[in-house]
Amino acid sequence: MTEFELIQKYFAAQPVSRDDVVLGIGDDAAVLAPPAGKHLVVTTDSMIEGVHFTPETEPESLGYRALAVNLSDLAAMGAEPAWFFLNLTLPKIDETWVEAFCRGMFSLAREFNVQLVGGNTTRGSLSITIEAQGLISEGEAIRRAGAKPGDGIYVTGTLGDAALALRHRLGRHSLPVADYDVLKPRLDRPTPRVREGMALRRIASSAIDVSDGLLADLGHIAEASGVGALVVRDHVPLSETYRRHLHEVGWDHALSGGDDYELLFTAPAHAGRDLQRLLTRFGVGISQIGEMVSGDGVTVIDTAGNPYRPATRGHDHFA
Ligand code: ADP
Ligand code: MG
């Protein structure tokens, strides 16, 4: 199979077709028609074998996850996802692999009506880079800067599940099979909180997605906003499964573990009722975990008000 045949068979014939794609895959470049008055929101993320995933990760998960992490970045801006590009470097053409990869990637593309409109295919060690583009009305993008002292700090879903699953996969902690089965999709198939992010426009004062760990990502909000953050450790939402292992694994996977792809945002106190309404609309939990304060940095306390110091604060590729 040639590069051209691969593109034709697996990428050109794909399931989402949007009216705003004037020209998709097959020419030198794509032609897209964003609606008048909308701004483009653009993001990219790479996944490299050995850095972001282990060689035994299933190709279906890789396809899903490569797109999910990009949609999560769009969600954190409040943008509506529209199109994406795929840059794929493969050691060889293995059709079984490509087919499974596409199954994962396109299942998510279908769910959020995003169309693959181009990319690049080369030979080399396995790496996957997606660039995703979304739309937002002028002035409505939710930034990291914007949090004010007194704003509540909120997070969607639960934290630490992906880190716990990864720890099991790396052989550093052994979970019962049934528990690993529950946590594994949280690592391999994170749900980008796209609808929630869009609904938070005009409500949230700042937002970020939790990819490097709660404290690290909250640190980005605090720094960009020029304020501090106070987190009550015991208010950080845990899944039932995590909670059952809390006494052995502690809080740090939830506080500092990455890969959750939940939304972390701040909102002024008067937004409480809107958040309540959001919560019932999407069926995903929203928990308040603390409050922005004047000063700088992120402080964690336990319910008694004593400072709590986690062993690590988050992920940095060059640390
Ligand atoms: P060019 O040499 O002009 O850059 P290519 O031969 O690389 O064109 O690509 C031909 C078409 O196939 C282009 O529309 C390109 O965007 C698309 N394409 C190539 N690789 C991928 C891929 N992995 N996923 C989606 N589209 C792709
Ligand atoms: Mg060309």
Side-chain angles (χ1 to χ4, degrees), residues 46-216:
S46 292
M47 288 177 26
I48 315 289
E49 186 174 83
V51 179
H52 302 94
F53 59 92
T54 54
E56 62 274 17
T57 313
E58 295 118 356
E60 187 169 344
S61 300
L62 292 178
Y64 178 99
R65 200 163 179 282
L67 181 57
V69 300
N70 279 280
L71 297 187
S72 177
D73 278 324
L74 293 183
M77 301 301 291
E80 175 186 359
W83 315 293
F84 70 106
F85 288 78
L86 169 68
N87 291 322
L88 196 56
T89 307
L90 298 170
K92 61 178 187 323
I93 294 182
D94 170 351
E95 283 200 69
T96 315
W97 190 97
V98 176
E99 207 186 300
F101 177 86
C102 284
R103 211 183 310 124
M105 182 177 71
F106 287 135
S107 68
L108 189 62
R110 224 180 273 122
E111 186 179 341
F112 291 107
N113 194 37
V114 280
Q115 184 173 342
L116 177 64
V117 292
N120 193 46
T121 309
T122 46
R123 183 162 163 181
S125 25
L126 181 58
S127 98
I128 305 147
T129 298
I130 284 183
E131 178 188 300
Q133 298 158 339
L135 299 165
I136 201 155
S137 296
E138 218 177 305
E140 286 196 349
I142 311 167
R143 304 182 180 200
R144 295 178 180 188
K148 303 252 175 332
D151 285 0
I153 305 169
Y154 300 87
V155 65
T156 59
T158 59
L159 294 179
D161 298 326
L164 205 50
L166 181 63
R167 193 160 163 211
H168 173 91
R169 185 171 296 170
L170 296 175
R172 294 187 192 142
H173 181 80
S174 176
L175 292 168
V177 181
D179 289 346
Y180 181 58
D181 284 347
V182 172
L183 298 182
K184 186 175 178 287
R186 301 275 296 149
L187 177 62
D188 290 334
R189 297 180 75 91
T191 305
R193 302 297 185 190
V194 172
R195 297 176 197 98
E196 294 80 357
M198 286 166 63
L200 285 170
R201 298 168 188 166
R202 294 187 298 269
I203 298 177
S205 50
S206 72
I208 192 170
D209 63 326
V210 182
S211 54
D212 293 335
L214 171 68
L215 300 184

Side-chain angles (χ1 to χ4, degrees), residues 12-51:
Q14 49 97 24
V16 180
S17 101
R18 293 175 58 102
D19 293 344
D20 51 14
V21 177
V22 181
L23 193 58
I25 293 170
D27 216 306
D28 296 306
V31 180
L32 308 168
K38 294 277 182 179
H39 282 181
L40 273 182
V41 182
V42 184
T43 186
T44 185
D45 252 309
S46 292
M47 288 177 26
I48 315 289
E49 186 174 83
V51 179

